Amino acid sequence: MKKTAVVYWSSTGNTEAMAQAVLEGMKEAGAEAVLLTPDAVDVGALAGMDAIAFGCPAMGSEVLEECEFEPMFSGCKNRLGGKSVGLFGSYGWGDGQWMRDWEKDCDDAGIHLVCESVICCETPDDAALEACRAMGKALAE
């Protein structure tokens, strides 16, 4: 059984709803899965995970949340080589630049993204939630 995790930060609940859908997909695929917020992340424990989904909304001028999520992600990204990783999050304006920048940061760090990142504007609709569940399944395979 694969050990998986969903690590997310959410201020309005939109990214949290996406995180729950990713977790559902992981569990439906038979993985052992945990849901974590940045303050609960033990970087050493993440090393024991086979796959991790990271979720963060666009903040400010389309950047990752700067107080909790970005420092946590920066602290663990160099330990994610060889793991299956997925990215997701919501935004309220802009065109998704924060996700493109995040994907490039992952690529530069040698992180393997197993599927297309999932983004949605504001509250995730049924299609976005289904894409999140599919991401969870892909990570659990």
Side-chain angles (χ1 to χ4, degrees):
M1 176 181 293
K2 270 195 165 180
K3 291 180 76 172
T4 64
V6 180
V7 179
Y8 77 96
W9 186 91
S10 185
S11 66
T12 63
N14 294 335
T15 301
E16 181 176 12
M18 297 173 81
Q20 291 288 347
V22 174
L23 184 74
E24 288 171 19
M26 289 173 165
K27 289 181 175 182
E28 287 171 9
E32 178 184 327
V34 296
L35 189 66
L36 303 168
T37 54
D39 60 326
V41 169
D42 173 345
V43 175
L46 286 185
M49 297 292 171
D50 298 304
I52 306 165
F54 290 96
C56 186
M59 301 296 288
S61 60
E62 288 209 73
V63 296
L64 296 174
E65 190 279 327
E66 298 172 296
C67 294
E68 293 180 51
F69 191 88
E70 195 283 327
M72 176 277 308
F73 188 75
S74 289
C76 71
K77 73 180 176 186
N78 291 327
R79 298 177 184 209
L80 299 174
K83 298 194 181 308
S84 297
V85 175
L87 306 177
F88 64 93
S90 63
Y91 63 98
W93 61 275
D95 67 355
Q97 185 62 46
W98 104 102
M99 186 58 73
R100 291 189 295 277
D101 292 344
W102 194 7
E103 290 168 339
K104 182 180 182 323
D105 186 34
C106 287
D107 188 53
D108 291 348
I111 297 170
H112 172 64
L113 300 178
V114 298
C115 59
E116 189 173 319
S117 300
V118 179
I119 65 173
C120 69
C121 184
E122 304 291 347
T123 304
D125 60 12
D126 290 343
L129 293 174
E130 185 51 42
C132 288
R133 282 189 282 279
M135 174 185 287
K137 289 176 185 172
L139 287 165
E141 293 177 345

